[in-house]
Short mmCIF file of all heavy atoms in Angstrom, two decimals:
data_model
loop_
_atom_site.label_atom_id
_atom_site.label_comp_id
_atom_site.label_asym_id
_atom_site.label_seq_id
_atom_site.Cartn_x
_atom_site.Cartn_y
_atom_site.Cartn_z
N GLN A 1 0.85 -1.20 0.00
CA GLN A 1 0.00 0.00 0.00
C GLN A 1 0.88 1.24 0.00
O GLN A 1 1.77 1.40 0.84
CB GLN A 1 -0.89 0.03 1.25
CG GLN A 1 -1.83 1.21 1.31
CD GLN A 1 -3.23 0.85 0.86
OE1 GLN A 1 -3.69 -0.26 1.06
NE2 GLN A 1 -3.91 1.78 0.25
N PHE A 2 0.66 2.12 -0.97
CA PHE A 2 1.42 3.35 -1.10
C PHE A 2 0.44 4.49 -1.37
O PHE A 2 0.07 4.73 -2.53
CB PHE A 2 2.44 3.25 -2.24
CG PHE A 2 3.37 2.05 -2.12
CD1 PHE A 2 3.00 0.82 -2.63
CD2 PHE A 2 4.59 2.17 -1.47
CE1 PHE A 2 3.83 -0.27 -2.52
CE2 PHE A 2 5.43 1.08 -1.35
CZ PHE A 2 5.05 -0.15 -1.88
N GLY A 3 0.01 5.16 -0.32
CA GLY A 3 -0.97 6.22 -0.50
C GLY A 3 -2.26 5.68 -1.09
O GLY A 3 -2.86 4.74 -0.56
N CYS A 4 -2.66 6.26 -2.22
CA CYS A 4 -3.91 5.83 -2.86
C CYS A 4 -3.70 4.66 -3.81
O CYS A 4 -4.62 4.24 -4.51
CB CYS A 4 -4.55 7.00 -3.61
SG CYS A 4 -3.50 7.74 -4.88
N PHE A 5 -2.50 4.09 -3.83
CA PHE A 5 -2.20 2.94 -4.68
C PHE A 5 -2.07 1.69 -3.81
O PHE A 5 -1.37 1.69 -2.80
CB PHE A 5 -0.89 3.15 -5.45
CG PHE A 5 -0.94 4.26 -6.46
CD1 PHE A 5 -0.58 5.55 -6.10
CD2 PHE A 5 -1.34 4.01 -7.77
CE1 PHE A 5 -0.62 6.58 -7.02
CE2 PHE A 5 -1.39 5.03 -8.70
CZ PHE A 5 -1.02 6.33 -8.33
N GLU A 6 -2.75 0.62 -4.22
CA GLU A 6 -2.61 -0.65 -3.54
C GLU A 6 -2.37 -1.75 -4.57
O GLU A 6 -3.13 -1.90 -5.54
CB GLU A 6 -3.87 -1.00 -2.73
CG GLU A 6 -3.72 -2.32 -1.98
CD GLU A 6 -4.94 -2.67 -1.15
OE1 GLU A 6 -5.91 -1.87 -1.15
OE2 GLU A 6 -4.95 -3.74 -0.51
N PHE A 7 -1.29 -2.51 -4.38
CA PHE A 7 -0.93 -3.57 -5.30
C PHE A 7 -1.41 -4.92 -4.75
O PHE A 7 -1.04 -5.29 -3.62
CB PHE A 7 0.58 -3.61 -5.52
CG PHE A 7 1.11 -2.41 -6.25
CD1 PHE A 7 1.41 -1.24 -5.57
CD2 PHE A 7 1.30 -2.45 -7.63
CE1 PHE A 7 1.91 -0.13 -6.25
CE2 PHE A 7 1.80 -1.35 -8.32
CZ PHE A 7 2.10 -0.19 -7.62
N LEU A 8 -2.20 -5.62 -5.51
CA LEU A 8 -2.63 -6.97 -5.16
C LEU A 8 -1.66 -7.94 -5.85
O LEU A 8 -1.83 -8.27 -7.02
CB LEU A 8 -4.07 -7.22 -5.61
CG LEU A 8 -5.10 -6.16 -5.14
CD1 LEU A 8 -6.49 -6.51 -5.67
CD2 LEU A 8 -5.11 -6.05 -3.62
N ILE A 9 -0.63 -8.34 -5.11
CA ILE A 9 0.49 -9.05 -5.71
C ILE A 9 0.07 -10.37 -6.34
O ILE A 9 0.40 -10.66 -7.50
CB ILE A 9 1.59 -9.31 -4.66
CG1 ILE A 9 2.01 -8.01 -3.98
CG2 ILE A 9 2.79 -10.00 -5.30
CD1 ILE A 9 2.67 -7.02 -4.89
N ASP A 10 -0.66 -11.18 -5.60
CA ASP A 10 -1.02 -12.51 -6.10
C ASP A 10 -1.89 -12.43 -7.35
O ASP A 10 -1.75 -13.21 -8.28
CB ASP A 10 -1.73 -13.32 -5.02
CG ASP A 10 -0.80 -13.64 -3.85
OD1 ASP A 10 0.42 -13.66 -4.07
OD2 ASP A 10 -1.30 -13.85 -2.74
N GLN A 11 -2.80 -11.44 -7.37
CA GLN A 11 -3.70 -11.29 -8.53
C GLN A 11 -3.08 -10.43 -9.62
O GLN A 11 -3.63 -10.31 -10.71
CB GLN A 11 -5.02 -10.65 -8.10
CG GLN A 11 -5.83 -11.49 -7.12
CD GLN A 11 -5.52 -11.12 -5.66
OE1 GLN A 11 -4.43 -10.62 -5.36
NE2 GLN A 11 -6.48 -11.32 -4.78
N ARG A 12 -1.92 -9.81 -9.30
CA ARG A 12 -1.23 -8.90 -10.22
C ARG A 12 -2.19 -7.81 -10.71
O ARG A 12 -2.33 -7.56 -11.90
CB ARG A 12 -0.62 -9.67 -11.39
CG ARG A 12 0.52 -10.58 -10.95
CD ARG A 12 1.18 -11.27 -12.12
NE ARG A 12 1.73 -10.32 -13.07
CZ ARG A 12 2.87 -9.64 -12.90
NH1 ARG A 12 3.57 -9.79 -11.79
NH2 ARG A 12 3.31 -8.81 -13.82
N GLN A 13 -2.85 -7.18 -9.73
CA GLN A 13 -3.80 -6.10 -10.03
C GLN A 13 -3.44 -4.87 -9.20
O GLN A 13 -2.85 -4.97 -8.11
CB GLN A 13 -5.22 -6.54 -9.71
CG GLN A 13 -5.74 -7.66 -10.60
CD GLN A 13 -7.15 -8.08 -10.23
OE1 GLN A 13 -7.72 -7.60 -9.25
NE2 GLN A 13 -7.73 -8.99 -11.00
N LEU A 14 -3.84 -3.71 -9.72
CA LEU A 14 -3.59 -2.45 -9.03
C LEU A 14 -4.92 -1.77 -8.71
O LEU A 14 -5.80 -1.69 -9.56
CB LEU A 14 -2.75 -1.52 -9.91
CG LEU A 14 -2.56 -0.07 -9.40
CD1 LEU A 14 -1.75 -0.06 -8.11
CD2 LEU A 14 -1.90 0.80 -10.46
N LEU A 15 -5.02 -1.30 -7.46
CA LEU A 15 -6.15 -0.47 -7.07
C LEU A 15 -5.66 0.97 -6.92
O LEU A 15 -4.66 1.23 -6.27
CB LEU A 15 -6.73 -0.93 -5.73
CG LEU A 15 -7.30 -2.35 -5.65
CD1 LEU A 15 -7.84 -2.62 -4.24
CD2 LEU A 15 -8.39 -2.57 -6.68
N HIS A 16 -6.36 1.88 -7.57
CA HIS A 16 -6.05 3.31 -7.45
C HIS A 16 -7.28 4.01 -6.91
O HIS A 16 -8.33 4.00 -7.53
CB HIS A 16 -5.66 3.90 -8.81
CG HIS A 16 -5.32 5.34 -8.76
ND1 HIS A 16 -5.79 6.27 -9.66
CD2 HIS A 16 -4.54 6.04 -7.89
CE1 HIS A 16 -5.33 7.47 -9.36
NE2 HIS A 16 -4.56 7.36 -8.29
N GLN A 17 -7.15 4.55 -5.69
CA GLN A 17 -8.28 5.17 -5.00
C GLN A 17 -9.44 4.17 -4.85
O GLN A 17 -10.59 4.51 -5.00
CB GLN A 17 -8.73 6.43 -5.73
CG GLN A 17 -7.65 7.51 -5.77
CD GLN A 17 -8.06 8.74 -6.54
OE1 GLN A 17 -8.97 8.70 -7.36
NE2 GLN A 17 -7.38 9.84 -6.27
N GLY A 18 -9.07 2.91 -4.59
CA GLY A 18 -10.04 1.86 -4.35
C GLY A 18 -10.64 1.23 -5.59
O GLY A 18 -11.45 0.31 -5.47
N LYS A 19 -10.25 1.68 -6.76
CA LYS A 19 -10.82 1.15 -8.00
C LYS A 19 -9.76 0.38 -8.78
O LYS A 19 -8.60 0.78 -8.83
CB LYS A 19 -11.37 2.29 -8.86
CG LYS A 19 -12.50 3.07 -8.19
CD LYS A 19 -12.98 4.19 -9.11
CE LYS A 19 -14.12 4.97 -8.46
NZ LYS A 19 -14.59 6.09 -9.33
N HIS A 20 -10.20 -0.72 -9.40
CA HIS A 20 -9.30 -1.52 -10.21
C HIS A 20 -8.83 -0.74 -11.44
O HIS A 20 -9.62 -0.06 -12.09
CB HIS A 20 -9.99 -2.82 -10.67
CG HIS A 20 -10.10 -3.83 -9.58
ND1 HIS A 20 -9.10 -4.74 -9.28
CD2 HIS A 20 -11.10 -4.09 -8.69
CE1 HIS A 20 -9.47 -5.50 -8.28
NE2 HIS A 20 -10.69 -5.14 -7.89
N VAL A 21 -7.55 -0.85 -11.71
CA VAL A 21 -6.96 -0.20 -12.87
C VAL A 21 -6.37 -1.27 -13.78
O VAL A 21 -5.65 -2.16 -13.31
CB VAL A 21 -5.84 0.79 -12.43
CG1 VAL A 21 -5.17 1.39 -13.66
CG2 VAL A 21 -6.41 1.87 -11.54
N ARG A 22 -6.65 -1.18 -15.05
CA ARG A 22 -6.11 -2.17 -16.00
C ARG A 22 -4.70 -1.76 -16.39
O ARG A 22 -4.45 -0.65 -16.85
CB ARG A 22 -7.00 -2.25 -17.24
CG ARG A 22 -8.38 -2.82 -16.97
CD ARG A 22 -9.14 -3.06 -18.25
NE ARG A 22 -8.48 -4.04 -19.10
CZ ARG A 22 -8.94 -4.42 -20.30
NH1 ARG A 22 -10.06 -3.87 -20.78
NH2 ARG A 22 -8.31 -5.31 -21.01
N LEU A 23 -3.77 -2.67 -16.19
CA LEU A 23 -2.38 -2.44 -16.54
C LEU A 23 -1.83 -3.63 -17.32
O LEU A 23 -2.22 -4.77 -17.06
CB LEU A 23 -1.51 -2.24 -15.29
CG LEU A 23 -1.67 -0.97 -14.47
CD1 LEU A 23 -0.79 -1.05 -13.23
CD2 LEU A 23 -1.33 0.27 -15.29
N ARG A 24 -0.93 -3.34 -18.22
CA ARG A 24 -0.20 -4.43 -18.86
C ARG A 24 0.76 -5.03 -17.85
O ARG A 24 1.17 -4.36 -16.89
CB ARG A 24 0.58 -3.89 -20.07
CG ARG A 24 -0.30 -3.27 -21.15
CD ARG A 24 0.55 -2.62 -22.22
NE ARG A 24 -0.27 -1.98 -23.24
CZ ARG A 24 0.22 -1.24 -24.24
NH1 ARG A 24 1.53 -1.05 -24.33
NH2 ARG A 24 -0.59 -0.70 -25.13
N PRO A 25 1.13 -6.30 -18.02
CA PRO A 25 2.02 -6.95 -17.05
C PRO A 25 3.29 -6.15 -16.77
O PRO A 25 3.70 -6.01 -15.61
CB PRO A 25 2.33 -8.31 -17.70
CG PRO A 25 1.11 -8.59 -18.53
CD PRO A 25 0.68 -7.26 -19.07
N ARG A 26 3.91 -5.62 -17.81
CA ARG A 26 5.16 -4.88 -17.60
C ARG A 26 4.90 -3.55 -16.90
O ARG A 26 5.72 -3.08 -16.12
CB ARG A 26 5.88 -4.66 -18.92
CG ARG A 26 7.26 -4.04 -18.77
CD ARG A 26 8.14 -4.32 -19.96
NE ARG A 26 8.58 -5.70 -19.95
CZ ARG A 26 9.14 -6.29 -21.01
NH1 ARG A 26 9.29 -5.63 -22.15
NH2 ARG A 26 9.54 -7.54 -20.94
N GLU A 27 3.76 -2.94 -17.16
CA GLU A 27 3.41 -1.70 -16.47
C GLU A 27 3.22 -1.97 -14.97
O GLU A 27 3.65 -1.18 -14.13
CB GLU A 27 2.13 -1.11 -17.07
CG GLU A 27 2.30 -0.55 -18.47
CD GLU A 27 0.98 -0.08 -19.06
OE1 GLU A 27 -0.07 -0.64 -18.70
OE2 GLU A 27 1.00 0.86 -19.89
N PHE A 28 2.56 -3.08 -14.66
CA PHE A 28 2.37 -3.46 -13.25
C PHE A 28 3.72 -3.66 -12.58
O PHE A 28 3.98 -3.15 -11.48
CB PHE A 28 1.54 -4.74 -13.16
CG PHE A 28 1.32 -5.23 -11.76
CD1 PHE A 28 0.22 -4.79 -11.02
CD2 PHE A 28 2.20 -6.13 -11.17
CE1 PHE A 28 0.02 -5.23 -9.71
CE2 PHE A 28 2.00 -6.58 -9.87
CZ PHE A 28 0.91 -6.12 -9.15
N ASP A 29 4.61 -4.42 -13.22
CA ASP A 29 5.93 -4.70 -12.64
C ASP A 29 6.74 -3.42 -12.45
O ASP A 29 7.43 -3.26 -11.44
CB ASP A 29 6.70 -5.69 -13.51
CG ASP A 29 6.09 -7.09 -13.52
OD1 ASP A 29 5.38 -7.41 -12.55
OD2 ASP A 29 6.31 -7.82 -14.50
N LEU A 30 6.66 -2.53 -13.42
CA LEU A 30 7.41 -1.28 -13.34
C LEU A 30 6.92 -0.41 -12.20
O LEU A 30 7.71 0.10 -11.40
CB LEU A 30 7.30 -0.53 -14.68
CG LEU A 30 7.97 0.85 -14.73
CD1 LEU A 30 9.44 0.75 -14.39
CD2 LEU A 30 7.76 1.48 -16.10
#
């Protein structure tokens, strides 16, 4: 958890301000 960003590692998903954000795999890793 970093401020309004939360990384769901196992699901490889990003939450921004509580909402799911679609990212490419490399964007998520970066």
Side-chain angles (χ1 to χ4, degrees):
Q1 181 99 33
F2 305 87
C4 59
F5 294 90
E6 182 179 0
F7 292 84
L8 307 179
I9 306 295
D10 294 336
Q11 297 93 334
R12 293 184 59 77
Q13 294 179 355
L14 172 66
L15 299 180
H16 181 226
Q17 298 178 339
K19 298 180 180 179
H20 284 274
V21 176
R22 293 188 63 181
L23 290 176
R24 299 173 182 175
R26 187 158 286 166
E27 290 175 330
F28 179 89
D29 292 337
L30 177 58

